Amino acid sequence: MDAPLPENNTINDAAHLQNVVVMRHGDRIDSIEPLWVTTAARPWDPPLVEDGRIRAFGTGRKLKTDLGFPIHRVFVSPFLRCIQTASEVVSALCAVEDGPNVLSSHGVAIDPSKLKVSIEYGLCEMLNRETIGRDCAPKDGNFGFNISELEAMLPAGTVDHAVKPVFTELPQWEETVMRARTRYEQIIKALADKYPSENLLLVTHGEGVGVSVSAFLKDISVYEVEFCAYSLLRRSVVHENKSFTAREFEVLTHYGQTGISYCSAIPSTSSPMYDAM
């Protein structure tokens, strides 16, 4: 479970802290144009609208200036809206120069050595009719993700082809809401344990962001996750020889601070937290 220590890592100083940011994708086209799905070739995989790209880039810029620590690795769901969100966020995080008038990654020069990006199936959308309508899901059950094509959409030089995903394939169609929530909790912990010396950014879906809060705060029910909302998790990690020990994650994101709203309650086990993921 040991990982190499990056040269610019801040978490191996006296505090030994690992940070994990879990972020939702930007504004998806079918939330703006509901009829889009009636003519789309891949109605289960909507892209971002332009406002979604702008919001994603702006969020990446905010992470760069406000977090107080570097992001070393980014993991992203294979759904197109997440890939496009990650592309904008990574461009903002790696930007060499971007003035206040720059709204998206278009034309932005980056330093790809700052971080690495990988696609992770475990961060994918809940694969059930609660989030992907009966008429939108692929008839043959094949969601048709071409990883090479998706990687080509990410900023040049940032993809780490050597990384082996935790989930080597998509979950089975019609996974239950509870099983999906368990998956999100598992993938957050698994990726953190796989890279305990690094700070991570996970670009996923609304339910995944909600779980990143509810799984680590007792008796909390998340009822809203805005587009590009994100949570910040932190834990203490102690390295010794080629192993490490880590404490439980602490949720540092407060109610409403970054677009996540929650209350003290027992969450439902039969339905997703949000209508649009």
Side-chain angles (χ1 to χ4, degrees):
M1 300 180 75
D2 190 41
L5 308 185
E7 293 180 0
N8 62 341
N9 196 357
T10 62
I11 60 179
N12 292 288
D13 296 336
H16 298 286
L17 298 176
Q18 181 185 31
N19 301 281
V20 177
V21 178
V22 187
M23 176 181 172
R24 188 187 182 192
H25 58 76
D27 313 50
R28 49 192 279 178
I29 191 170
D30 55 341
S31 69
I32 308 298
E33 303 175 23
L35 294 180
W36 174 85
V37 299
T38 62
T39 57
R42 292 170 55 87
W44 60 86
D45 196 17
L48 298 183
V49 294
E50 185 61 22
D51 283 349
R53 289 182 178 272
I54 292 172
R55 191 197 299 263
F57 186 82
T59 304
R61 178 183 282 160
K62 181 179 180 181
L63 294 176
K64 183 178 182 179
T65 58
D66 293 357
L67 285 179
F69 55 82
I71 295 293
H72 302 114
R73 287 189 181 272
V74 178
F75 292 92
V76 54
S77 159
F79 280 80
L80 181 58
R81 54 192 179 275
C82 291
I83 297 291
Q84 292 175 330
T85 297
S87 180
E88 294 295 326
V89 173
V90 168
S91 294
L93 290 172
C94 296
V96 177
E97 292 183 11
D98 68 284
N101 295 325
V102 177
L103 299 179
S104 72
S105 64
H106 181 70
V108 172
I110 69 167
D111 176 1
S113 69
K114 288 184 176 296
L115 54 79
K116 292 302 176 184
V117 188
S118 304
I119 295 173
E120 172 55 60
Y121 282 130
L123 293 170
C124 78
E125 176 66 284
M126 288 200 301
L127 296 188
N128 56 40
R129 296 171 200 240
E130 299 281 357
T131 56
I132 301 175
R134 180 188 300 270
D135 296 331
C136 292
K139 305 302 182 185
D140 60 359
N142 181 6
F143 284 82
F145 292 120
N146 186 312
I147 297 302
S148 296
E149 291 181 0
L150 294 174
E151 288 178 338
M153 299 179 189
L154 297 166
T158 63
V159 176
D160 189 342
H161 297 283
V163 169
K164 295 181 179 179
V166 175
F167 282 67
T168 57
E169 58 186 21
L170 287 174
Q172 290 293 315
W173 171 246
E174 293 288 19
E175 64 176 340
T176 65
V177 172
M178 282 307 298
R179 184 177 293 275
R181 290 178 182 172
T182 298
R183 165 169 60 86
Y184 287 129
E185 182 178 353
Q186 288 176 339
I187 193 62
I188 292 169
K189 292 179 178 178
L191 289 172
D193 285 347
K194 190 174 182 180
Y195 300 96
S197 302
E198 302 183 23
N199 297 320
L200 310 180
L201 168 63
L202 315 182
V203 181
T204 183
H205 303 264
E207 194 75 28
V209 178
V211 168
S212 73
V213 173
S214 62
F216 303 106
L217 285 179
K218 291 184 178 181
D219 298 332
I220 286 295
S221 178
V222 177
Y223 59 85
E224 183 177 13
V225 175
E226 299 173 5
F227 290 124
C228 287
Y230 61 90
S231 64
L232 172 56
L233 309 178
R234 179 173 293 169
R235 67 178 184 174
S236 174
V237 180
V238 177
H239 297 267
E240 185 176 357
N241 296 324
K242 292 186 177 182
S243 63
F244 72 93
T245 57
R247 294 185 177 180
E248 289 295 316
F249 276 112
E250 177 185 3
V251 179
L252 301 185
T253 304
H254 300 299
Y255 170 91
Q257 181 182 12
T258 60
I260 304 172
S261 300
Y262 54 86
C263 60
S264 296
I266 303 300
S268 169
T269 60
S270 60
S271 61
M273 298 174 185
Y274 328 101
D275 293 331
M277 297 294 127

